Each structure stands twice: as C-alpha cells, then as structure tokens.
Amino acid sequence: MASLFSCCLGCCGDGGSGHVALKEMPTVQLDTHHMGTDVVIVKSGRRICGTGGCLANAPLHQNKSYFEFKIQSTGVWGVGVATQKMNLNQVPMGRDTHSLVLRHDGSVYHNNEEKNRLPANSLPQEGDVVGITYDHVELNLFLNGKDMQCPATGIRGTVYPVVYVDDSAILDCQFCDFYHTPPQGFEKILFEQQIF
C-alpha cells in the first residue's frame, strides 16, 4: 500500500509536491502579425494609428461576443469583423465579402453594399465608445452604451474583430474591462480553450 501511495505522489509531475503549473491564458489584443504595412500598434496591443487595418488575435468562436472601440482622435476609421483573407492595407474596408464594418460616416458596409446606417444625429465623435455585438449571424452597434438599432448581416466564415484607421484617426480597442456593460447574454471574447 505504501508503494502505491508513493507511486501516486511521484506521478504528480514535480517530484511529489502536488503542485500543477497553470498555463497563463493569452490576452485578446490587436495582432501585429495581421495588420497593414503602415499601421502602428501601441499600448500593449490596444491602440491603432497610422494607415490600414488590424485584426484581433482571437477569432469569435463563442455564440455571443462583445467588444468596444474608443475614438481617441477623429479621421477616417472603421470597426467591425473580418476574416483573415481581408486585405488589411485596403481603406475603407467593407468593399468585399471579407469584412463587415461600421465606417466613420455612420454607414455599415459589406461586399461594397451599404447594409445599414446609424441615425444622422448619432455619428460617433472623438471620445465616444462604439460597442459591437456579434452572434455569428448579426452584428449590432452601440454608441456610448445605447443600442443603435442598426443590425447588419452577410459575412461568413471565421471572423475576428477588425479596426482600420487613416487620416490621423486613433482608436483604442477594449476587449475586456468595458466602458459599458455588454448586452444581456453577450460577453468578452474568449480564446477557444477558454470556451470548453
């Protein structure tokens, strides 16, 4: 019996102390391996400036995802979802089947077609926070926590959060610790191993 107990302790990986090393979960942030050539990413992968687009480092695998973008400086910008096939040097996005984005002028584009538009009196300004929900079918937009009733659909496949900037725009990405409470049932982006 003592030898069985000793064997079990010896099989715990570190000589019997019983401690198992936990792997630190990665942080969702902008992915410097999937960005345009003239894009600059700073603030620990949270701020984008320059010219072009960038994908986040985590695909939207879960059923209901929420993320935010804060407009630090106005200019030409867009936020939404895109596949890895997206040309991240192309501004504005939404011209092909690989992206579905809200543009700075309030229009929502996919496949070079306007899918919806924010109300004229609700165009995002400097300091505003744009929230995005995505449930694998529909993208919805929130401005400073208020539902804009501006759904858009059409994109297919594995998508990632995407943001693009041009003309001096600077945007900050918020993938957790949100400015506004996510809508009921929606949550921060989880890496695939966190879902199961």
Side-chain angles (χ1 to χ4, degrees):
M1 181 69 146
S3 65
L4 178 61
F5 184 70
S6 156
C7 174
C8 286
L9 283 178
C11 296
C12 289
D14 63 351
S17 73
H19 293 101
V20 177
L22 295 177
K23 183 179 175 188
E24 187 174 316
M25 294 308 293
T27 302
V28 179
Q29 61 189 29
L30 294 176
D31 188 350
T32 56
H33 298 319
H34 291 98
M35 67 181 200
T37 54
D38 294 325
V39 168
V40 177
I41 303 297
V42 294
K43 290 190 76 175
S44 301
R46 288 190 43 237
R47 177 170 286 178
I48 183 171
C49 49
T51 299
C54 187
L55 297 175
N57 63 345
L60 302 179
H61 284 302
Q62 74 223 52
N63 290 335
K64 294 183 173 186
S65 304
Y66 178 79
F67 47 99
E68 296 175 334
F69 297 94
K70 184 171 185 177
I71 303 160
Q72 296 293 354
S73 180
T74 57
V76 173
W77 57 267
V79 296
V81 294
T83 70
Q84 285 190 326
K85 294 179 181 178
M86 182 66 225
N87 177 355
L88 296 169
N89 292 306
Q90 179 186 42
V91 174
M93 291 182 181
R95 294 188 213 176
D96 57 27
T97 60
H98 304 299
S99 62
L100 173 61
V101 295
L102 167 67
R103 294 177 176 175
H104 69 281
D105 65 359
S107 60
V108 181
Y109 265 81
H110 171 67
N111 202 21
N112 213 29
E113 178 184 337
E114 186 173 310
K115 294 294 197 172
N116 213 328
R117 179 173 281 280
L118 292 177
N121 62 348
S122 296
L123 296 181
Q125 304 295 316
E126 193 168 301
D128 284 344
V129 175
V130 176
I132 295 177
T133 61
Y134 185 71
D135 65 5
H136 292 282
V137 175
E138 191 172 83
L139 180 136
N140 278 285
L141 302 164
F142 295 77
L143 183 60
N144 299 319
K146 181 182 176 193
D147 188 347
M148 291 287 95
Q149 303 296 318
C150 189
T153 61
I155 195 164
R156 303 261 188 258
T158 301
V159 297
Y160 297 73
V162 69
V163 56
Y164 71 83
V165 291
D166 195 11
D167 196 27
S168 301
I170 300 172
L171 273 70
D172 284 355
C173 307
Q174 205 67 30
F175 297 114
C176 62
D177 302 324
F178 300 117
Y179 293 100
H180 302 281
T181 303
Q184 181 75 29
F186 287 86
E187 61 183 340
K188 70 180 183 177
I189 299 164
L190 302 173
F191 279 92
E192 192 169 19
Q193 65 262 30
Q194 291 175 306
I195 295 172
F196 301 108

